[in-house]
């Protein structure tokens, strides 16, 4: 017979088996005391003097637990509104059923049912929140063990890269009737910021002296600086401030704007643009940036990606990007004879058509006054 001690959060716990039943007991922050408690419990078990405490493990209704979870953890959630909705969705799913009655089998059945109509990323985010909830239920001694143990998440494919042409951007902006929807769309197209980041902007985040927007609370947990082009500079300078709030974009009562989808989808219908999400405006910015010859490393910093792998999905849009990489190799290995650039070789090749030559020509950097004029914002 053996037992173990292990750490959960800031506390040390002991674990051992009595009559085939696994027992876990939280001791406290001192490891040495936990070792002594384990030794005492082992002696009590061997001498038949151990009687497990009559704890009501697993009997709390899931709805009550969900409310407790939101009260204790709600303020710590990264995206409060989104994650709160996930918690409430699970509360509707399980209702008043006791925590201990929820099984791994039915969670896997829920996953299979959702796979027919939801993307893997959506399912994984929901399962991730549920796993966190059950983990805390165990830590708070409301449940003996989590039914999420051993459940694998789905493989995600985030390859969707829907983006607009400059003409489509112009059409979309012209189709925005509400001034705040037009402004939000314009900011997204010219900065690549996420909708949540735009809605969280305060006036003190705009540095007109340096020409940068400070994104304080981005998705990856780090702040970043996003450059303002001439269009954004003029937009923010002219945008009216609402008294009583420091939010750049706010509701009539001065709070955070809640509904953007309705106005955006109506604008898409008027512009005759189908299968377009607001997040696709971020893809549009990135795609146009790369197609205009922008550097992927700079784009990574602007978008706030933690790894370059997320940014390289746009690299296929720019033949110029690969050609310049070859030119760097030509320069690196250049000998006594001067090396002709790959661009010149392509342009001198009689097999290259006029249309294809334009593809390989270097383009100007994105979001210049010329690009602004093309967008006609």
């Amino acid at each position: 017979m053996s037992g173990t001690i292990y750490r959960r959060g800031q506390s040390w716990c002991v674990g051992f088996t009595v009559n085939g039943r696994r027992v876990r007991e939280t001791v406290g922050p001192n490891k040495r005391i936990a070792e002594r408690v384990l030794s005492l419990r082992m002696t009590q078990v061997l001498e038949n003097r151990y009687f497990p405490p009559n704890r009501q493990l697993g009997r709390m209704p899931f709805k009550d637990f969900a409310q407790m979870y939101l009260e204790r953890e709600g303020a710590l959630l990264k995206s409060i509104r989104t994650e709160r909705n996930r918690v409430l969705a699970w509360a509707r799913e399980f209702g008043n059923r006791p925590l201990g009655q929820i099984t791994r089998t039915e969670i896997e059945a829920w996953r299979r049912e959702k796979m027919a109509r939801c993307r893997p990323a959506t399912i994984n985010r929901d399962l991730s929140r549920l796993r966190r909830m059950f983990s805390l239920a165990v830590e708070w001694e409301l449940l003996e063990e989590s039914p999420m143990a051993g459940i694998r998440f789905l493989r995600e494919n985030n390859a969707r890269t829907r983006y607009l042409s400059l003409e489509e951007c112009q059409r979309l902006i012209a189709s925005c009737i509400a001034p705040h929807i037009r402004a939000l769309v314009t900011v997204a197209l010219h900065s690549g910021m996420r909708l949540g980041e735009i809605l969280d902007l305060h006036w003190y985040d705009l540095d007109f002296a340096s020409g940068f927007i400070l994104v304080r609370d981005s998705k990856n947990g780090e702040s970043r600086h996003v450059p303002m082009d001439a269009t954004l500079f003029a937009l923010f300078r002219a945008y009216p401030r609402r008294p009583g709030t420091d939010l750049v974009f706010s509701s009539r009562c001065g709070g955070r704007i809640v509904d953007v989808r309705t106005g955006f989808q109506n604008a898409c219908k008027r512009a005759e643009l189908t299968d377009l999400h607001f997040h696709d405006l971020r893809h549009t910015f990135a795609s146009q940036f790369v197609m205009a010859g922008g550097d992927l490393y700079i784009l990574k910093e602007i978008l706030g990606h933690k790894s370059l792998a997320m940014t390289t999905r746009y690299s296929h849009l720019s033949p110029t990007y690969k050609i310049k990489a070859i030119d760097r190799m030509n320069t690196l290995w250049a000998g006594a004879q001067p090396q002709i650039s790959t661009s010149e070789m392509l342009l001198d090749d009689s097999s290259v058509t006029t249309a294809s030559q334009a593809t390989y020509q270097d383009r100007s950097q994105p979001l210049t006054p010329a690009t602004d004029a093309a967008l006609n914002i």
Side-chain angles (χ1 to χ4, degrees):
M1 179 179 174
S2 63
T4 59
I5 67 167
Y6 56 95
R7 192 167 186 173
R8 178 182 290 150
Q10 300 298 319
S11 300
W12 285 94
C13 307
V14 299
F16 51 96
T17 303
V18 182
N19 298 325
R21 181 176 180 268
R22 180 70 173 171
V23 177
R24 296 180 178 89
E25 181 178 343
T26 301
V27 178
N30 193 306
K31 181 180 179 181
R32 184 170 296 179
I33 293 177
E35 292 172 343
R36 292 178 180 175
V37 169
L38 177 61
S39 177
L40 174 62
R41 295 290 181 262
M42 299 294 287
T43 301
Q44 290 174 337
V45 171
L46 290 173
E47 297 177 354
N48 292 323
R49 294 187 295 106
Y50 177 77
F51 301 95
N54 185 21
R55 295 184 298 178
Q56 301 297 308
L57 286 179
R59 296 194 179 184
M60 174 179 280
F62 190 93
K63 269 190 175 180
D64 294 347
F65 167 67
Q67 187 61 40
M68 176 190 294
Y69 176 82
L70 288 174
E71 291 173 357
R72 294 187 180 184
E73 296 288 306
L76 304 177
L77 298 176
K78 181 64 179 175
S79 179
I80 297 177
R81 184 177 294 103
T82 301
E83 296 302 334
R84 182 177 182 274
N85 288 339
R86 287 196 174 105
V87 173
L88 295 178
W90 283 119
R92 291 190 296 271
E93 178 74 22
F94 297 125
N96 288 317
R97 291 179 56 200
L99 287 171
Q101 288 185 5
I102 300 169
T103 65
R104 171 179 170 176
T105 302
E106 64 180 302
I107 295 173
E108 291 176 335
W110 174 91
R111 182 183 62 184
R112 285 193 299 272
E113 189 271 331
K114 287 290 185 180
M115 287 171 61
R117 51 192 176 87
C118 296
R119 292 183 301 172
T122 302
I123 297 172
N124 286 346
R125 299 298 90 75
D126 290 340
L127 288 175
S128 178
R129 181 53 49 200
L130 183 63
R131 180 174 64 180
R132 174 61 178 167
M133 292 175 71
F134 277 126
S135 295
L136 287 181
V138 175
E139 183 175 324
W140 295 340
E141 299 186 348
L142 301 173
L143 189 64
E144 187 170 357
E145 60 183 3
S146 170
M148 293 290 295
I151 292 183
R152 293 186 178 183
F153 285 14
L154 300 175
R155 183 172 182 176
E156 297 182 19
N157 179 13
N158 296 319
R160 174 188 166 94
T161 312
R162 169 84 159 93
Y163 64 92
L164 304 177
S165 66
L166 294 181
E167 185 275 331
E168 289 173 324
C169 292
Q170 182 179 4
R171 207 163 73 227
L172 175 61
I173 293 172
S175 300
C176 296
I177 295 178
H180 72 284
I181 296 294
R182 178 183 291 238
L184 292 172
V185 168
T186 302
V187 174
L189 286 172
H190 282 258
S191 69
M193 292 170 62
R194 302 176 180 91
L195 175 59
E197 296 171 345
I198 300 173
L199 294 178
D200 286 338
L201 278 180
H202 292 72
W203 286 108
Y204 52 73
D205 296 325
L206 308 179
D207 190 343
F208 293 103
S210 66
F212 282 95
I213 303 168
L214 175 60
V215 179
R216 297 179 182 273
D217 190 20
S218 64
K219 186 177 179 180
N220 66 11
E222 299 176 357
S223 61
R224 72 181 191 277
H225 289 84
V226 176
M228 280 190 277
D229 64 357
T231 298
L232 292 186
F233 194 94
L235 184 153
F236 287 128
R237 278 296 194 192
Y239 201 78
R241 296 196 181 200
R242 190 181 297 275
T245 180
D246 203 42
L247 287 169
V248 178
F249 305 105
S250 63
S251 63
R252 292 182 179 180
C253 61
R256 195 176 188 271
I257 295 176
V258 176
D259 182 22
V260 173
R261 178 177 297 181
T262 302
F264 177 72
Q265 291 300 329
N266 289 338
C268 290
K269 290 178 182 177
R270 287 188 289 269
E272 298 181 349
L273 297 172
T274 59
D275 188 31
L276 187 68
H277 306 157
F278 194 95
H279 195 75
D280 295 330
L281 306 185
R282 177 173 164 88
H283 293 316
T284 296
F285 168 85
S287 301
Q288 294 296 341
F289 183 95
V290 172
M291 288 190 291
D295 186 271
L296 288 179
Y297 288 93
I298 296 176
L299 179 61
K300 170 183 173 293
E301 297 302 317
I302 293 176
L303 296 180
H305 289 159
K306 275 205 167 184
S307 67
L308 189 63
M310 285 290 294
T311 316
T312 52
R313 71 169 73 178
Y314 305 101
S315 62
H316 71 282
L317 298 171
S318 178
T320 317
Y321 186 82
K322 296 184 177 70
I323 291 171
K324 287 183 177 180
I326 298 173
D327 285 342
R328 293 189 186 96
M329 296 301 295
N330 289 338
T331 302
L332 178 65
W333 296 105
Q337 295 287 339
Q339 300 291 315
I340 185 171
S341 74
T342 307
S343 302
E344 293 170 340
M345 288 166 47
L346 285 170
L347 293 175
D348 289 342
D349 191 338
S350 60
S351 65
V352 179
T353 65
T354 304
S356 63
Q357 286 178 5
T359 303
Y360 290 101
Q361 289 175 354
D362 291 344
R363 306 183 187 185
S364 60
Q365 292 295 318
L367 303 180
T368 61
T371 305
D372 295 336
L375 283 174
N376 193 25
I377 299 174

